[in-house]
């Protein structure tokens, strides 16, 4: 393949479109060049709407547990340890959903896993609002958590694989900005409903479930998979149809701009040098294998997918991202899960203070959206900066909670630093791994953020009952300090890098 490819001569100064032997295909075009040529237009705006509305709805569902902790404990007479079963079981279901759906997504595509999981979130989330007991509520929320774990590894790669290289980080962080809006939506409804109505927690649950129907309906209008997924699977015909639809929406005329018909090009990955007439490297089917053995081989492939993340050159990067993602989850959920009871114990208005803290996420993510594309900052320095802000804010908050105003200010700064870290990680992780394992890598990152939710609720409940008020925020501040130290050893910067297929 390399020998045949060496015959290609540059057609233009950018070496983006190559001319080949007349007996072969007439042109070879890099996918990254086509995505840059298509640019940002109405198609990408529609994609933004799907992703932003989706993450808005999913984030509102995720934040629900924080606002229900005090109310459900009083309605069903639960101790902090009994209530901790709810987020712990949800963490286990998130793990199961993120990994199983991600493996399916890397093999079958992003579209239908996204649609199915989004629909399940809406249906079971709505049903949980009418649960007659805690255990029925727990069962219904388990299905919601499984689906949330499954939909996130589809949402971010789906968005990423449609976008050109430039401003990719800003687009991804803008999606997370909408997730912060979802958290604010949940906080605002909780601030209004729970103190006002006797059954206010049910109205809050309904309000958080209804928005999940919208991204499912919108995704149905996009009939094709992502270009990078189709390229990685060697589906040239479907890839061309998808790119032609994108060019039509953005009013791009390929033949007029390049002087050749789009049907006469072969699209390749810019990181792979091979001739377009060669068989795609990943296009192999188990057609000659008996059915029982076919299933066994595929099950083994599913179980071994995570081992690909630990192979060179990803080994050190995966280990460090495991520590960083784990610390982020432990710090965020540990400090937030019983924050309502903690605020009540230090005589601070819990719902209003937490609502304002969630509002502080918005300028934090806005700042991330700006600096994440700066050449001297990028993804890694952004992670270091905001983890340091979260660590210092929680530690200072631990020793100033005797003053209500000062304590409220520093808890707001803590959320200003914590939540934007999710935006950076959900941008950095998919960019760091090739297309064939991108959803698995994203799912692994989500899996790592879910594992601590199994044990963190019980630790958080124990610390919230501590007689020393400074212990609860101080411990979680130390966790973010560990995250900051781990980020110093992460060296692979993805700013302005082409995605690897």
């Amino acid at each position: 393949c390399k020998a045949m490819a060496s015959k290609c001569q540059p057609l233009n100064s950018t070496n983006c479109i190559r001319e080949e032997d007349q007996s072969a295909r007439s042109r070879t075009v890099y996918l990254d060049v086509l995505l840059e040529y298509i640019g940002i237009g109405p198609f990408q705006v529609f994609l933004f709407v799907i992703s932003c509305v989706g993450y808005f709805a999913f984030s509102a569902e995720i934040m629900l547990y924080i606002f229900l902790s005090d109310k459900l404990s009083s309605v069903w007479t639960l101790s902090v340890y009994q209530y901790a079963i709810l987020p712990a079981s949800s963490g286990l279901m998130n793990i199961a959903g993120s990994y199983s759906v991600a493996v399916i997504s890397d093999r079958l595509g992003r579209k239908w896993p996204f649609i199915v999981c989004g629909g399940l979130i809406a249906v079971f989330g709505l049903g949980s609002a009418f649960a007659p007991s805690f255990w029925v509520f727990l069962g219904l929320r388990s299905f919601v958590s499984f689906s949330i774990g499954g939909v996130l590894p589809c949402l971010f790669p789906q968005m990423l694989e449609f976008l050109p290289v430039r401003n990719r980080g800003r687009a991804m962080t803008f999606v997370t900005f909408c997730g912060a809006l979802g958290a604010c939506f949940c906080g605002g409804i909780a601030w209004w409903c729970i103190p006002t109505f006797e059954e206010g927690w049910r109205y809050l649950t309904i309000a958080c479930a209804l928005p999940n129907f919208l991204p499912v309906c919108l995704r149905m209008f996009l009939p094709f998979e992502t270009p990078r997924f189709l390229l990685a699977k060697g589906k040239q015909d479907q890839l061309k149809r998808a790119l032609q639809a994108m060019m039509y929406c953005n009013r791009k005329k390929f033949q007029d701009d390049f002087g050749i018909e789009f049907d006469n090009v072969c699209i390749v990955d810019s990181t792979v040098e091979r001739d377009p007439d060669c068989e795609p490297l990943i296009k192999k089917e188990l057609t000659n294998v008996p059915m029982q053995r076919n299933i066994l081989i595929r099950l083994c492939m599913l179980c071994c997918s995570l081992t690909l993340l630990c192979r060179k050159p990803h080994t050190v990067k995966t280990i460090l991202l495991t520590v960083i993602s784990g610390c982020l989850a432990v710090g965020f959920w540990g400090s937030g899960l019983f924050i309502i009871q903690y605020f009540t114990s230090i005589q601070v208005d819990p719902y209003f203070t937490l609502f304002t803290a969630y509002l502080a996420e918005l300028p934090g993510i806005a700042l991330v959206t700006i600096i994440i594309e700066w050449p001297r900052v990028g993804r890694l320095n952004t992670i270091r900066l905001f983890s340091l802000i979260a660590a210092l804010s929680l530690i200072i908050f631990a020793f100033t909670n005797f003053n209500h105003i000062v304590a409220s200010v520093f808890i707001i700064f803590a959320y200003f630093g914590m939540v934007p870290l999710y935006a950076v990680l959900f941008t950095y992780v998919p960019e760091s791994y090739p297309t064939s394992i991108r959803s698995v890598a994203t799912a692994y990152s989500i899996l790592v953020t879910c594992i601590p939710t199994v044990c963190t609720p019980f630790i958080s409940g124990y610390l919230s009952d501590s007689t020393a008020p400074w212990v609860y925020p101080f411990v979680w501040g130390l966790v973010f300090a560990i995250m900051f130290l781990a980020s110093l050893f992460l060296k692979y910067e993805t700013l302005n890098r082409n995605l690897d297929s």
Side-chain angles (χ1 to χ4, degrees):
C1 291
K2 288 183 178 180
M4 295 180 68
S6 64
K7 299 177 183 179
C8 302
Q9 300 297 324
L11 184 65
N12 54 29
S13 58
T14 60
N15 198 23
C16 299
I17 302 180
R18 304 180 301 178
E19 187 174 3
E20 300 183 359
D21 193 323
Q22 294 299 322
S23 61
R25 299 181 190 269
S26 57
R27 296 290 186 273
T28 298
V29 185
Y30 290 140
L31 177 59
D32 283 312
V33 174
L34 281 174
L35 293 177
E36 289 286 350
Y37 165 71
I38 293 172
I40 303 295
F43 179 87
Q44 283 72 22
V45 171
F46 184 66
L47 185 66
F48 286 159
V49 171
I50 295 174
S51 302
C52 291
V53 172
Y55 200 54
F56 174 95
F58 307 148
S59 297
E61 285 285 354
I62 294 171
M63 292 297 105
L64 193 61
Y65 295 126
I66 294 176
F67 292 99
L68 294 182
S69 60
D70 188 50
K71 191 64 176 180
L72 292 187
S73 297
S74 62
V75 170
W76 286 318
T77 319
L78 306 173
S79 67
V80 291
Y81 302 106
Q82 289 175 316
Y83 182 80
I85 297 174
L86 177 61
S89 62
S90 297
L92 288 174
M93 296 304 290
N94 267 324
I95 294 170
S98 63
Y99 181 57
S100 57
V101 176
V103 173
I104 294 172
S105 173
D106 276 336
R107 283 158 178 77
L108 301 181
R110 322 301 192 199
K111 178 184 176 181
W112 287 109
F114 178 87
I115 291 173
V116 172
C117 289
L120 291 176
I121 294 171
V123 172
F124 285 102
L126 194 60
S128 66
F130 304 96
S133 68
F134 174 71
W135 300 109
V136 174
F137 184 82
L138 177 66
L140 293 172
R141 297 307 300 184
S142 295
F143 285 102
V144 174
S145 299
F146 179 91
S147 303
I148 290 175
V151 79
L152 292 180
C154 302
L155 186 146
F156 287 98
Q158 174 179 264
M159 180 75 178
L160 186 71
E161 293 172 2
F162 274 109
L163 294 176
V165 174
R166 288 183 296 176
N167 296 322
R168 191 173 56 203
R170 287 177 180 164
M172 297 293 285
T173 53
F174 183 75
V175 174
T176 315
F177 180 85
C178 294
L181 289 177
C184 293
F185 170 78
C186 182
I189 297 295
W191 179 33
W192 171 55
C193 283
I194 293 180
T196 305
F197 304 103
E198 184 179 355
E199 296 287 318
W201 69 270
R202 296 188 187 274
Y203 302 137
L204 173 62
T205 307
I206 292 172
C208 292
L210 290 177
N212 289 279
F213 286 103
L214 185 55
V216 173
C217 297
L218 292 176
R219 185 61 179 93
M220 298 289 287
F221 287 97
L222 286 182
F224 42 78
E225 288 293 341
T226 69
R228 293 190 186 278
F229 175 82
L230 296 173
L231 176 64
K233 294 301 181 182
K235 300 179 179 180
Q236 282 282 324
D237 292 339
Q238 295 181 39
L239 173 60
K240 288 180 180 179
R241 287 197 295 269
L243 291 171
Q244 283 176 324
M246 294 170 66
M247 286 188 282
Y248 177 80
C249 290
N250 288 7
R251 298 179 181 179
K252 299 288 184 178
K253 297 181 179 180
F254 184 86
Q255 185 172 356
D256 294 345
D257 294 334
F258 288 93
I260 55 175
E261 292 186 6
F262 189 70
D263 291 336
N264 293 331
V265 303
C266 183
I267 304 161
V268 298
D269 178 34
S270 59
T271 62
V272 179
E273 287 291 336
R274 60 182 176 86
D275 187 77
D277 288 331
C278 297
E279 282 293 316
L281 298 179
I282 312 176
K283 193 177 181 181
K284 290 187 177 181
E285 300 292 341
L286 300 171
T287 53
N288 298 323
V289 184
M291 185 62 184
Q292 295 82 357
R293 190 179 169 195
N294 188 332
I295 295 174
L296 180 61
I297 291 175
R298 292 188 183 277
L299 286 175
C300 292
M301 290 170 64
L302 301 185
C303 296
C304 294
S305 294
L306 279 180
T307 62
L308 299 175
L309 304 179
C310 299
R311 294 182 182 177
K312 293 182 178 180
H314 308 303
T315 309
V316 176
K317 176 176 61 182
T318 299
I319 293 172
L320 290 173
L321 285 174
T322 300
V323 176
I324 291 171
S325 300
C327 287
L328 176 57
V330 170
F332 177 77
W333 287 108
S335 62
L337 192 56
F338 290 100
I339 195 72
I340 298 293
Q341 290 90 325
Y342 182 79
F343 281 150
T344 303
S345 68
I346 62 174
Q347 299 179 346
V348 173
D349 184 358
Y351 295 105
F352 175 74
T353 304
L354 196 55
F355 175 60
T356 55
Y358 281 2
L359 289 177
E361 300 171 4
L362 303 180
I365 297 177
L367 180 60
V368 165
T369 305
I370 296 171
I371 68 175
I372 197 172
E373 295 290 346
W374 288 359
R376 294 187 179 181
V377 180
R379 282 63 160 147
L380 297 184
N381 286 329
T382 305
I383 293 174
R384 293 161 188 160
L385 173 63
F386 280 83
S387 58
L388 185 61
I389 291 174
L392 292 178
S393 299
L394 286 172
I395 291 173
I396 296 173
F397 169 71
F399 298 102
T400 57
N401 54 28
F402 57 86
N403 187 309
H404 297 169
I405 297 177
V406 176
S408 300
V409 169
F410 279 105
I411 198 63
I412 288 171
F413 269 105
Y415 276 86
F416 174 87
M418 278 192 287
V419 175
L421 288 168
Y422 280 99
V424 187
L425 276 180
F426 284 144
T427 301
Y428 179 79
V429 172
E431 289 180 335
S432 302
Y433 294 90
T435 302
S436 57
I437 57 171
R438 185 167 294 128
S439 274
V440 169
T442 308
Y444 177 72
S445 178
I446 296 171
L447 182 149
V448 172
T449 61
C450 292
I451 289 176
T453 61
V454 178
C455 57
T456 300
F458 300 98
I459 300 173
S460 181
Y462 174 78
L463 293 177
S464 66
D465 281 343
S466 175
T467 54
W470 62 270
V471 173
Y472 182 80
F474 181 76
V475 170
W476 310 123
L478 290 181
V479 172
F480 279 103
I482 296 172
M483 177 182 176
F484 168 73
L485 294 176
S487 67
L488 296 177
F489 295 94
L490 198 59
K491 304 298 182 183
Y492 184 78
E493 177 59 68
T494 60
L495 178 64
N496 293 329
R497 285 178 180 262
N498 289 333
L499 292 181
D500 182 14
S501 291

